[in-house]
Amino acid sequence: MLGDMPLLKTIVESFRDWGRDCWCDPGKENTCGKRFEWDLGQLPHGYDHKYIYSHIGYNLKATDMQASVGVAQIKKLPQFIAARKRNYSVLREGLQDLQEFLILPEATANSDPSWFGFPLMVRPNAPFSRADVIRFLDGRKIGTRALFGGNLVRQPAYREVQYRTIGNLPNSDLAMNQLFWIGVYPGLNDEMLDYVIETLHSLPLSLSSATGKEARG
């Protein structure tokens, strides 16, 4: 029935999926062709459309079948955790010398996380922006993600909602404007991780040169 009403289908699926504005099917990206070109709410121009929320929605995606698969996957959890920790360590060691441009993640004291991803913050004084970096990586087939909704009060879904904040939320804005993350998926192998590290090492020279040419032009 919803297949005959595409607009209603998009709205219903948005409410089902946290109120997300993006309509890409699972496993798909950039269906709209302008994933990093949107200008909605008070978010910075080009904020990742996969993490823009136009409604206050719900997380209603799991089915009984998916839950059953999840229970079976728990048996693999120890090896998944080990792989994620290992991938984090490889990236952390391989990117240490880029801290002039990027702030690398560190576990909080007395914690031993199973890393969901590898967050990277572009320093505000870097010679390139976060938008430059994610476009650079996207063009080389390295997936990136925003830190979910960033500062939620900047999202269009909350524009007409009453809320209370403590202060001006500068750190939330910093994360929204400067932070992104790359994957530590257990299926990543040494060749893939090396490619990510090598690509990020080519970033300062490539983007600095491109930015300089634009400025001179």
Side-chain angles (χ1 to χ4, degrees), residues 9 18 35 74 195 202:
K9 178 176 182 290
W18 296 289
R35 175 179 166 190
I74 288 177
Y195 175 69
S202 71

Side-chain angles (χ1 to χ4, degrees), residues 5-214:
M5 296 178 283
L7 179 58
L8 180 59
K9 178 176 182 290
T10 299
I11 294 171
V12 169
E13 289 179 347
S14 176
F15 278 111
R16 179 198 67 180
D17 191 7
W18 296 289
R20 199 189 299 267
D21 197 74
C22 176
W23 57 83
C24 291
D25 290 332
K28 302 289 185 180
E29 294 183 354
N30 208 20
T31 302
C32 64
K34 54 177 187 175
R35 175 179 166 190
F36 304 117
E37 303 291 339
W38 290 85
D39 190 3
L40 296 174
Q42 298 180 52
L43 297 169
H45 174 74
Y47 198 80
D48 191 344
H49 191 229
K50 290 178 73 69
Y51 293 97
I52 293 179
Y53 301 90
S54 52
H55 312 285
I56 300 174
Y58 308 91
N59 182 11
L60 302 175
K61 295 191 297 181
T63 65
D64 289 345
M65 180 63 75
Q66 290 168 327
S68 298
V69 172
V71 170
Q73 288 288 84
I74 288 177
K75 298 175 183 177
K76 302 178 182 179
L77 186 58
Q79 67 192 66
F80 287 164
I81 291 174
R84 286 182 175 277
K85 289 181 177 180
R86 179 255 181 191
N87 292 344
Y88 164 84
S89 296
V90 171
L91 290 172
R92 187 68 173 73
E93 182 177 351
L95 299 175
Q96 288 236 47
D97 58 340
L98 291 180
Q99 295 191 73
E100 176 185 356
F101 308 107
L102 303 170
I103 298 175
L104 305 185
E106 293 184 18
T108 53
N110 302 315
S111 70
D112 184 24
S114 170
W115 294 88
F116 180 71
F118 192 90
L120 290 165
M121 180 174 285
V122 179
R123 293 186 184 275
N125 61 350
F128 41 75
S129 69
R130 181 189 61 179
D132 293 330
V133 177
I134 60 179
R135 289 176 186 277
F136 180 82
L137 295 177
D138 190 62
R140 288 153 181 79
K141 306 301 181 184
I142 297 174
T144 66
R145 295 289 185 270
L147 188 63
F148 304 109
N151 185 346
L152 290 181
V153 304
R154 309 295 187 200
Q155 292 280 354
Y158 291 84
R159 189 165 39 200
E160 305 297 331
V161 175
Q162 291 187 350
Y163 54 81
R164 180 171 63 93
T165 64
I166 305 299
N168 295 323
L169 309 179
N171 289 329
S172 296
D173 280 337
L174 184 66
M176 177 181 67
N177 288 300
Q178 304 298 129
L179 191 65
F180 68 99
W181 57 271
I182 55 179
V184 292
Y185 164 63
L188 295 175
N189 58 33
D190 288 339
E191 182 181 1
M192 295 172 183
L193 293 169
D194 287 345
Y195 175 69
V196 172
I197 293 169
E198 290 170 8
T199 302
L200 282 166
H201 273 86
S202 71
L203 182 152
L205 181 60
S206 298
L207 289 184
S208 297
S209 300
T211 302
K213 289 178 182 176
E214 290 175 6

